[in-house]
Amino acid sequence: MTAPTRQWLLPHTYVLLFALIAFVAVLTWILPSGSFEREAFTTPAGQETTTVIPGTFAPVEKVTAERDLRQGIFDVLSAPAEGIVHAADVVAFVLVLGGAFGIITRTGALDRGLHALANSLADKGILVIPIMMALLSLGGSTFGMSEEIIALYPVVISLMFVLRFDSMTAVLILFLGTQAGYIGATISPFSVTLAQAIAEIPGNPLLGLRAVAWVVFTGLAIAYTMWYAHRVRRDPGVSPVAASDQTLREIFAVGSDDHPGFHGRDRFILAAFVLTLAIISWGLLAHGWYMAEIAAAFLALGVFAGIAAGMSPSAMAEHFVEGLKEFVYAAFVIGLARGILVIAETGMIVDPLLDSLGQWLANIPTWAFTTLVLLANNIITFFVPSSSGEAALTMPVLAPLADLVGVQRDSLVLAYQFGNGLTNLVSPTNGLLLAGLAITRIRFSQWFRVILPWFLLAWPVAAVLTAVSTTL
């Protein structure tokens, strides 16, 4: 009798993140500590931040009479709570969103509406993938769409189920879709425009190449997602999340295909849903809305849906709590991921890493410069997932190196945006990714195995494009 094969799996997401917190804490005992001086800076989007001042790095003693930068057991145990405090806006957004969708889902209007849509699409349902991903990627490329996709997970998950795909397809559409836009960003204020402003680059000299990159990465993302979705629809057994999707169908109230037709109130609720999305889009583009405003819009939608469905205030409150429970897992994941950065920043080991990378890159030949800058940004992104945070940290230090090796500075910005976007696809410190995986009940190991082939295809493409940029 053949012994059963054992499948290697990463541990539970909480275990993985807590282990990373402990690992980074150990690094604070091993790696040197230090810091750059910083100065205030206003981003092109009008936000206040700080950037490092090149040439001001100074090592810092780990242990003095006033402080000990070495992070111990108590610091590790405190990191999750500290992470939640630092990411309070995102955590609150996720929780309010979960409660609002608890009410909306309970009305049944969304489920019946999605089944009606699936029936009307018939075998053309897979065309939803390229349309949605192209729009999401465009949002990521132009106005930096990112956290906003959390609001779309319940809808897209339900839609994928009724179209006979799986929850992994939903994550690929939402996260890979927006991230492809971030990788191929053209005018995003949170990556390209900010980095160019810090690096003192006038205009957008590589806009044409960025447009080509957006088309390439978006096309690769759409093709890969459609290939994956087609395999799952043809043979559901190949889905790595088939088991967890059984529970997820119950959570998002996706039942059999035998559904009654629309009620008048269903159309009313869905019309309100579409109107809410339109209002949010208007608020994002015209008034700079962020998570608090988006959460308020969805909370209003949840209350309206409950009233339209004839729920009492107490019933709405109970369904809100039920929805809240399902999103608590995702909210705590965000806090844990941010806790890793809290440990690294408190131990002051990020700036020394940046300084070492800057010295290393200054001594390499020109032909290898952009590829190694891409690799350096892959490394930095693990500790600083935020595109704007990484730009503010790295551009002042790395941009002058482009002048030393005779490469235009915008090539370095291109390498930064590629490195940040690609690493965030596979990094367990990216809270937005982990929130999506938590909502869909997908383990990081399952996601990693699915996305790794795309990453290994896209990284060489990014390296080639950065090399080409030096010739323009």
Side-chain angles (χ1 to χ4, degrees), residues 35-44 46-54 56 190 194-195 197-199 338 345 350-351 354 384 386-397 416:
S35 67
F36 287 95
E37 294 180 13
R38 284 167 165 78
E39 61 183 353
F41 179 81
T42 303
T43 72
Q47 296 176 324
E48 296 295 328
T49 185
T50 60
T51 61
V52 301
I53 302 175
T56 62
F190 303 108
L194 173 59
I198 296 172
R338 190 60 178 269
E345 291 169 355
V350 177
D351 285 8
L354 177 61
V384 188
S386 166
S387 59
S388 56
E390 184 173 348
L393 178 66
T394 61
M395 284 300 108
V397 176
Y416 137 78

Side-chain angles (χ1 to χ4, degrees), residues 231-383:
R231 288 179 66 241
V232 169
R233 174 183 269 187
R234 185 179 58 189
D235 181 8
V238 305
S239 170
V241 294
S244 58
D245 276 357
Q246 296 300 319
T247 301
L248 207 60
R249 288 175 183 274
E250 298 176 4
I251 292 174
F252 289 100
V254 180
S256 67
D257 293 333
D258 183 19
H259 272 64
F262 270 154
H263 302 300
R265 67 184 184 188
D266 290 340
R267 293 185 176 88
F268 203 39
I269 292 171
L270 291 178
F273 184 87
V274 173
L275 178 61
T276 300
L277 293 179
I279 292 172
I280 289 172
S281 299
W282 166 77
L284 287 168
L285 297 174
H287 296 283
W289 282 12
Y290 197 44
M291 285 177 285
E293 293 84 358
I294 298 172
F298 274 104
L299 181 58
L301 174 63
V303 172
F304 174 82
I307 294 173
M311 295 181 187
S312 68
S314 294
M316 280 191 280
E318 289 183 6
H319 298 322
F320 184 92
V321 172
E322 290 173 3
L324 202 68
K325 291 177 183 176
E326 301 302 333
F327 278 65
V328 165
Y329 175 39
F332 194 69
V333 160
I334 294 170
L336 278 173
R338 190 60 178 269
I340 299 170
L341 307 183
V342 169
I343 291 291
E345 291 169 355
T346 305
M348 300 180 71
I349 62 173
V350 177
D351 285 8
L353 175 62
L354 177 61
D355 182 62
S356 298
L357 285 172
Q359 295 180 26
W360 176 57
L361 290 170
N363 299 314
I364 63 174
T366 304
W367 61 268
F369 181 71
T370 55
T371 301
L372 291 176
V373 170
L374 171 62
L375 181 60
N377 279 283
N378 287 141
I379 297 171
I380 289 291
T381 302
F382 179 84
F383 294 96

